[in-house]
Amino acid sequence: LQGNSAQIFFDKDEVQPSMAAFNAMGYATMTLGNHEFNYGIETLEKNMSGLTNTTVLCGNVYKPNGERLGKPYEIVECDGVKVAIIGMVTPHIMKWDAGNLKGYKVTSPYEETKAAIKEIQSKKLADVMIASVHMGLDGEYGDDSAAELAKKCPELSAIVAGHAHSKIEQEIVNNIPI
């Protein structure tokens, strides 16, 4: 939501352009990133309410009432294959947007991904599991690395990562493409 002209639509009643694009393109899920928190939770939730068929993933941010801000995962069927998409954000949103997250709790993306994997496997919900994470390949502060997630969660088939504003050609960590 930050870093482009989309903020000119925040005080309007219409659907924010990025959300309209997700709707038009038929995205099944989106994972929140750190810039979604820059304008506060009220703005974030208002913009997310414009999504019609896209599930917001953010399994490691909890509201003051204990509910998650987004779902930890969504199951999507693709040509008969059930795919679990697990979504987490870097825990360092508390460093950058603590003022916007008063009362919120941000937990370890590693531990939350492990918990999601355990639930998906125990209920036999999916054939394949991928993570969609707003974290860089190597991380910034030691506990937000897509590479480390691959090491800690070998059950994943792939990781889609982004945050560091750098191109990742294709890294393979623990036999998991990132």
Side-chain angles (χ1 to χ4, degrees):
L1 295 176
Q2 185 270 346
N4 59 48
S5 61
Q7 61 264 26
I8 65 175
F9 295 90
F10 288 169
D11 60 352
K12 309 278 191 271
D13 288 331
E14 59 202 65
V15 174
Q16 198 265 358
S18 298
M19 303 306 108
F22 280 122
N23 293 337
M25 291 188 282
Y27 274 70
T29 67
M30 71 164 291
T31 300
L32 297 181
N34 61 291
H35 290 299
E36 274 64 66
F37 296 91
N38 294 157
Y39 297 103
I41 297 296
E42 186 177 325
T43 299
L44 170 62
E45 288 183 329
K46 177 183 181 249
N47 284 292
M48 296 301 115
S49 72
L51 294 169
T52 54
N53 294 310
T54 303
T55 300
V56 175
L57 300 179
C58 189
N60 63 320
V61 177
Y62 291 84
K63 298 177 181 183
N65 66 5
E67 293 176 18
R68 282 189 167 104
L69 184 61
K71 291 181 69 175
Y73 63 87
E74 181 72 6
I75 308 299
V76 177
E77 191 164 327
C78 300
D79 295 328
V81 177
K82 291 181 183 173
V83 179
I85 304 169
I86 302 168
M88 305 290 162
V89 66
T90 174
H92 303 295
I93 57 175
M94 292 303 278
K95 288 181 183 1
W96 308 308
D97 282 304
N100 293 332
L101 291 161
K102 286 187 185 343
Y104 281 71
K105 179 180 174 185
V106 182
T107 57
S108 166
Y110 306 143
E111 296 307 314
E112 294 287 1
T113 300
K114 286 181 189 179
I117 288 169
K118 183 177 179 181
E119 182 174 322
I120 293 162
Q121 288 180 324
S122 72
K123 294 180 180 180
K124 298 180 174 45
L125 298 175
D127 305 308
V128 176
M129 293 180 286
I130 64 169
S132 169
V133 296
H134 195 86
M135 298 187 288
L137 178 64
D138 299 317
E140 287 180 276
Y141 300 105
D143 60 350
D144 62 336
S145 158
E148 190 64 25
L149 182 67
K151 292 173 188 172
K152 292 181 182 289
C153 299
E155 304 88 349
L156 294 171
S157 296
I159 298 173
V160 179
H163 169 68
H165 302 262
S166 60
K167 185 176 182 181
I168 302 172
E169 291 293 336
Q170 182 180 6
E171 294 284 330
I172 307 289
V173 176
N174 200 24
N175 294 317
I176 299 171
I178 300 175

